Amino acid sequence: EAETMYQIKFETLQAQAGKHGDDLRNTRNEIAEMNRAIQRLQAEIDNIKNQRAKLEAAIAEAEERGELALKDGHAKQEELEAALQRAKQDM
């Protein structure tokens, strides 16, 4: 009778150990899957940061070109106004 009780207890413990082993395996798989998702998201974040940096550089360059074009336009306007004044004086 004692042997039967120990046998039942042993089988119960074996079943529990098997279940815990399965749970552990499933948890490890979930962790590995989450780590892959994290790596994928980090790569995506890095790509987006690079795109942002490129866009900011392009914006800065466009602003600089715009300012230079505006300065050039003002200089030409002043030249034309001076030429107009000279023409008026010559008349």
Side-chain angles (χ1 to χ4, degrees):
E1 189 174 313
E3 188 176 321
T4 304
M5 188 175 77
Y6 283 119
Q7 184 66 30
I8 291 170
K9 183 71 171 173
F10 179 74
E11 289 172 1
T12 303
L13 290 174
Q14 274 187 322
Q16 286 177 347
K19 183 182 180 323
H20 291 311
D22 290 344
D23 290 346
L24 180 60
R25 197 173 310 107
N26 290 337
T27 302
R28 284 182 179 159
N29 288 338
E30 287 177 19
I31 290 171
E33 188 176 319
M34 287 181 186
N35 282 333
R36 285 190 295 273
I38 289 169
Q39 289 174 345
R40 189 172 55 249
L41 290 172
Q42 285 175 334
E44 191 175 327
I45 288 169
D46 289 343
N47 286 336
I48 290 171
K49 283 181 179 179
N50 288 337
Q51 287 177 353
R52 177 183 173 196
K54 289 177 183 178
L55 289 172
E56 287 175 348
I59 289 169
E61 185 181 334
E63 286 175 345
E64 187 176 324
R65 282 196 317 264
E67 288 176 13
L68 290 174
L70 188 59
K71 286 180 184 177
D72 187 47
H74 285 304
K76 287 181 180 178
Q77 181 182 5
E78 289 175 6
E79 288 175 14
L80 289 172
E81 287 174 354
L84 179 61
Q85 288 299 324
R86 284 192 304 275
K88 284 182 181 179
Q89 288 175 356
D90 289 347
M91 291 177 86

